[in-house]
Amino acid sequence: MDALNNFRIEHRYLELPAAFYSRVQPTPLKNPRLVCFNSALAREMGFHTDNPEEWAALGAGQTLLDGMDPVAMKYTGHQFGTYNPDLGDGRGLLLWETIGPDQRRWDWHLKGAGQTPYSRFGDGKAVLRSTIREYLCSEAMHHLGIPTTRALFMVSAQDPVRRESIETAATLMRVAQSHIRFGHFEFASHHEGKEALKVLTDHTIKLHFPHLTDLPEDERYTRWLTEVVERTARMIAKWQCVGFCHGVMNSDNMSIIGDTFDYGPYAFLDDFDAGYICNHTDQAGRYAYNRQPEIGFVNCQYLARAMTPLLPEDNILSALRQYEKAYNETFLGTMRNKLGLAEPLENDINLIMDLFSMLHEHHIDYTLFFRGLSTLPSKGEAPVRDLFVDRSMADDWLKRYSERLATETRSDAERETAMCAVNPKFILRNYLAQEVIQDAQTGEYDNLHRLLKVLERPFDEQPENEDYAKLPPDWGKHLSISCSS
């Protein structure tokens, strides 16, 4: 591998007690082909390559770099509200950690690496379909400014994988500052005891919350739990404001540093539906769009319960109380920015919630509405009004909005520039991902690469890519995605 000299190699996860992991070698895949390599991210991490193809063997589990020591992480968690003690990395391996030139830490985690002691009845493999979806969405979320894991590269292989049908194997090199989840703390607390929980908490604080390390222990743990709760709340508020549905908000999919983690079934809203369920196995709608803020808090409660051996109840309740405050502040602040309201007024929340009710009642495309609102000064009301069958409903709300804007002091041009910087023109609509996947299954990846380029600049006009911003076709609305990855 060329130019691997700009980062430092560590594997600090191995400092945790042995119960937190199992050493496992990846299961090699046959005849791998590099599908995508994220050169910009590689440069951030401290290396570059003139020949991305040479990474295919690593992605396929055929080789390891010097210093890599693959482990499957052990954790537990609540899945659809039920505690499951038998969880862990069932098809992914943490290979090592690297420290880039900006001193950021990166876990390298190979998804689709084969069976582990935690695979249960799974084959440990990942398929091309779901791997493409994770690569696309993690990069789309990053460029939208939402905290997320990242995609470094992915490979496809010729190995057949049985799901609902026979599919093609693939792997993803997922990178993040940390792969530790709420479920690690549930495992430590409920199965390994207070000392293991303390070691895990100290490890997490030292690596990922270093500003807390010198505080007295009680204060350190309380402040840490508070920050995790606040980061989670802010992340979910950002999901809601961009119209993102996660689909599997189990506590083992909740990142301890507040990243969007594990892209199984997910969706960006097309026609606005507050109760939209993007995971077809979620029959009860536990993870519907409008329940995500509540479920985020429930997951924080699971984490808080795991921390009871280290913290008194009053401190835990104090930390949990910060969730609603952090969520509301982020949601309201972000929505004001989306509406171009630089000078906050107390009744803004009424304007916002009435807007959500209108979008829901009339099934209005969420992204196109806000983008149309952003360009009112330059393009007029037609891009907004034309989304409505009954244009009088749009007119009534636009009149209220115009009256609210009259209290603002920015020029129309300044407001338009600011709003276009926060209201994306391009999102990863499910039908776009589906079209790319259909092409990829024939070995054609040009449209995947083109879509990735579009998603790198979601707020730019990109007139040459106008097709990616249009309303989805009828077949592409409300696609329901399965967990079978």
Side-chain angles (χ1 to χ4, degrees), residues 182-193:
F182 287 17
H184 280 84
F185 291 84
E186 293 181 272
F187 167 66
S189 180
H190 305 325
H191 302 274
E192 295 299 305

Side-chain angles (χ1 to χ4, degrees), residues 240-255:
Q240 299 301 100
C241 290
V242 81
F244 175 75
C245 308
H246 186 282
V248 197
M249 290 178 66
N250 297 331
S251 63
D252 58 295
N253 288 336
M254 300 300 292
S255 158

Side-chain angles (χ1 to χ4, degrees), residues 188-207:
S189 180
H190 305 325
H191 302 274
E192 295 299 305
K194 180 177 179 179
E195 188 53 38
L197 177 64
K198 187 176 186 304
V199 169
L200 175 64
T201 308
D202 289 341
H203 169 92
T204 304
I205 291 172
K206 185 176 181 180
L207 293 191

